Amino acid sequence: MSTTLGSFIAGGIAACGAVTVTHSFETVKIRLQLQGELQAKGSVTKKYKGPLHGVKVIWQNEGPKGLFRGIGSAYIYQVLLNGCRLGFYEPIRSNFASVVYKDPSVQSLGINVFAGALSGVIGAAAGSPFFLVKTRLQSYSPFLPVGTQHNYKNSFDGLSKIYRSEGIRGVYRGVGAAMIRTSFGSSVQLPTYFLAKRTLTKHLDLADGPAMHLYSSALSGFVVCCFMHPPDTIMARLYNQTGNLYGGVFDCLYKTIRTEGVLAIYKGFFAHLARILPHTILTLSLAEQTNKFMRRVEDRILPDSLRGKI
Ligand SMILES: *[C@@H]1O[C@H](CO)[C@@H](O)[C@H](O)[C@H]1NC(C)=O
């Protein structure tokens, strides 16, 4: 086992690697989610027609810079989320296990899922301002703009401008949607992963191994995307506005469905899927490598007395 700090660094590197590879689809997703906002279906000329078309037009008009807008904020968000998961999961899990089973070492699926979701929600709340800036950076386009056009230089410039013009409320705009989104995603992930694994073993007679990991994480990624996408769309829209369009999560959901039809909450779904599937698979396989690497580094630099203490 690596130390806690070692796992934090290893997990952070793996997550940022996965983010780098999948960020283009994230940019397209944001633009698809905002396209035609609060306009009746059919009255909108679509600038972005789907994940691949979106990547193509952004690349042609804005170059790689366009596809990678907001990547700095995406890294910071991942590191915060990852850190909160790592830091809060075990304390939450063991506390609940000792209350419910009078023994902190008991592993129960329900408690583990709950601890995973709660620590994810804490991370989502902590990282929300960075996701907000990221959304605004990604929707900015000098060629085919969708959404309010904020020309921030980078995430810190964005955050300070938001703070100055919209105050602390502005910085935390959309945090409720961000927490709902992550709680949906995290609580579905683990159970569907195990379910997929069990089903694959039973019906396809697949042995436990890398292939099994791959199929199970792809299946659970798909289910996670189905649950997480509607609050993700609401979140993108709350992040785009400056407080003048929606009063909150349910107001946004209601207005979106009323004007654009119920499928509007699934706008950008395929771009999300194109991001989430490689992201899950890459994070898992990269984490294995980066963890190994961190262990080797620690074996070299840490004296025996310190191992397992940081
Ligand atoms: C984004 O927010 C602005 C300001 O709140 C609003 O005027 C606009 O309609 C929103 N959506 C899009 C797609 O621009």
Side-chain angles (χ1 to χ4, degrees):
M1 265 305 273
S2 315
T3 61
T4 311
L5 182 65
S7 325
F8 173 68
I9 298 173
I13 298 174
C16 289
V19 163
T20 310
V21 175
T22 58
H23 193 75
S24 307
F25 285 125
E26 177 74 7
T27 304
V28 176
K29 187 204 78 187
I30 299 282
R31 297 188 186 187
L32 287 167
Q33 286 173 317
L34 291 174
Q35 178 165 263
E37 184 178 13
L38 299 189
Q39 295 168 27
K41 222 169 43 184
S43 69
V44 187
T45 26
K46 288 188 180 159
K47 296 169 176 166
Y48 303 98
K49 297 193 180 115
L52 293 176
H53 177 259
V55 169
K56 198 180 94 192
V57 292
I58 297 176
W59 176 274
Q60 281 171 345
N61 291 318
E62 303 165 48
K65 191 176 163 221
L67 290 170
F68 285 99
R69 285 183 206 283
I71 186 113
S73 325
Y75 289 151
I76 300 174
Y77 176 82
Q78 278 301 326
V79 170
L80 279 172
L81 184 67
N82 197 40
C84 287
R85 286 208 165 125
L86 205 70
F88 290 111
Y89 175 82
E90 194 41 41
I92 295 172
R93 192 206 61 73
S94 59
N95 272 305
F96 272 87
S98 47
V99 169
V100 178
Y101 297 101
K102 310 270 174 291
D103 175 4
S105 65
V106 172
Q107 297 287 339
S108 115
L109 181 64
I111 289 178
N112 293 3
V113 168
F114 175 76
L118 189 57
S119 55
V121 167
I122 297 171
S128 177
F130 292 97
F131 214 121
L132 164 74
V133 179
K134 178 177 91 62
T135 304
R136 294 186 176 183
L137 286 165
Q138 287 177 304
S139 62
Y140 176 79
S141 164
F143 294 90
L144 293 174
V146 286
T148 331
Q149 299 293 293
H150 302 272
N151 196 359
Y152 305 139
K153 285 199 231 24
N154 53 48
S155 35
F156 294 105
D157 177 52
L159 276 182
S160 82
K161 282 187 178 146
I162 295 171
Y163 181 69
R164 267 179 284 146
S165 60
E166 302 170 51
I168 198 75
R169 262 187 84 116
V171 172
Y172 278 96
R173 189 178 303 293
V175 67
M179 289 160 78
I180 295 176
R181 167 187 176 275
T182 305
S183 73
F184 277 25
S186 315
S187 46
V188 173
Q189 191 168 30
L190 206 60
T192 48
Y193 180 79
F194 286 126
L195 189 69
K197 217 168 151 178
R198 224 181 31 222
T199 316
L200 288 173
T201 322
K202 208 166 129 195
H203 296 288
L204 295 181
D205 225 6
L206 216 62
D208 204 354
M212 167 73 99
H213 266 123
L214 192 79
Y215 297 143
S216 316
S217 27
L219 278 171
S220 93
F222 176 77
V223 179
V224 165
C225 198
C226 294
F227 279 86
M228 206 163 84
H229 196 77
D232 190 78
T233 303
I234 302 300
M235 181 181 77
R237 292 173 167 210
L238 291 175
Y239 281 162
N240 161 71
Q241 69 154 358
T242 37
N244 51 345
L245 282 188
Y246 310 112
V249 175
F250 293 99
D251 186 41
C252 179
L253 182 68
Y254 173 73
K255 285 182 177 150
T256 298
I257 293 182
R258 201 188 49 188
T259 46
E260 302 160 60
V262 70
L263 283 181
I265 51 175
Y266 277 100
K267 278 186 179 174
F269 176 77
F270 291 106
H272 199 176
L273 203 58
R275 186 191 79 82
I276 230 171
L277 291 185
H279 185 94
T280 320
I281 293 160
L282 275 170
T283 314
L284 282 177
S285 41
L286 284 177
E288 217 167 286
Q289 304 303 321
T290 53
N291 265 319
K292 252 187 231 158
F293 172 74
M294 276 314 292
R295 269 199 299 273
R296 272 213 305 277
V297 172
E298 286 175 351
D299 285 344
R300 276 234 183 123
I301 60 172
L302 284 187
D304 284 342
S305 56
L306 268 179
R307 281 199 207 136
K309 293 206 182 123
I310 34 178

